[in-house]
Amino acid sequence: MAKNPAGLVALVRVQVIDPAETDFTDGEILQYLNQAGRILHNMIADRRPDLVQEVKEGDISVSVPYVTLTRFPRRVRRVRVDGREVDPGAIPGIADVSETGRPEYWYMSGFRHVSFSPTPDSTYGVKVFYVPEYAEMVLSGGPCVYPDQALDMMVEFAALRCGLRNEADMSQEAGLFKNFRGEVVTWLSDLTPVPRGEGFIQPYW
């Protein structure tokens, strides 16, 4: 099966019988694929965050007391300072943000900034384990990150969504979304068991 966005669009066209590309533009089909991709990603993030987790490594210091994540996070799962896990905190719960020392807590100081309390008094190595937001596919994009079974579900969703474009009955669209979410839940349930202590981790916000 094609594993890039342009290939997925072509597969949708086969299902909706639009080989001449007269009924649906590439952009419209890609929009439906991204709808499916966002739902899929968010459900994986909620149920099996270990499957879509990324790790940001860097140093914090007196001059740069925060880490900037590569992508916007859907949730930060855990943070380690010099190999030791530190607890999440919040600015209202931190008595003195000007205190310096070895960091004991982390908190979000911006949509992509992870800061620490006490403020670091030296240089420390940091690892931030987080689930990023869904990355929109583009037609010129490279290989898709999901396995074939997930891509099959996305193609089917997009094809059915094309068929509903001119329908006035919103209940059909609601049924499509409900059925797709059910398929994703079943697929995730069939994967390897969730590691002990993993899954259903509450987001920072």
Side-chain angles (χ1 to χ4, degrees), residues 55-188:
V55 181
K56 173 66 177 182
E57 298 188 48
D59 291 330
I60 54 174
S61 63
V62 175
S63 58
V64 184
Y66 59 85
V67 171
T68 301
L69 301 179
T70 306
R71 296 166 59 185
F72 288 108
R74 178 176 171 81
R75 68 175 58 175
V76 175
R77 302 187 64 213
R78 60 177 59 91
V79 177
R80 291 177 183 163
V81 176
D82 278 354
R84 184 173 62 90
E85 191 162 330
V86 295
D87 295 326
I91 293 178
I94 296 172
D96 183 5
V97 295
S98 66
E99 178 186 358
T100 61
R102 181 184 179 87
E104 299 291 338
Y105 301 95
W106 64 269
Y107 61 93
M108 300 301 298
S109 57
F111 286 115
R112 289 172 53 204
H113 293 164
V114 179
S115 293
F116 298 86
S117 177
T119 300
D121 59 351
S122 183
T123 300
Y124 299 90
V126 170
K127 283 187 177 181
V128 180
F129 301 80
Y130 74 104
V131 176
E133 289 281 5
Y134 174 69
E136 294 275 324
M137 294 187 296
V138 296
L139 280 174
S140 59
C144 299
V145 299
Y146 300 114
D148 285 353
Q149 188 173 353
L151 297 178
D152 288 345
M153 291 188 291
M154 290 172 59
V155 168
E156 181 182 8
F157 174 94
L160 293 172
R161 185 69 181 79
C162 285
L164 294 176
R165 181 178 65 178
N166 298 320
E167 294 291 335
D169 185 359
M170 297 300 294
S171 65
Q172 294 188 48
E173 183 174 330
L176 169 61
F177 281 83
K178 180 179 179 180
N179 291 338
F180 179 71
R181 289 188 175 94
E183 290 178 358
V184 174
V185 168
T186 299
W187 172 62
L188 289 174

Side-chain angles (χ1 to χ4, degrees), residues 13 16 18 21-26 28-29 32 162-163 165:
R13 287 198 185 282
V16 299
D18 185 31
E21 303 183 13
T22 56
D23 294 332
F24 303 96
T25 65
D26 286 348
E28 182 178 2
I29 293 175
Y32 299 148
C162 285
R165 181 178 65 178

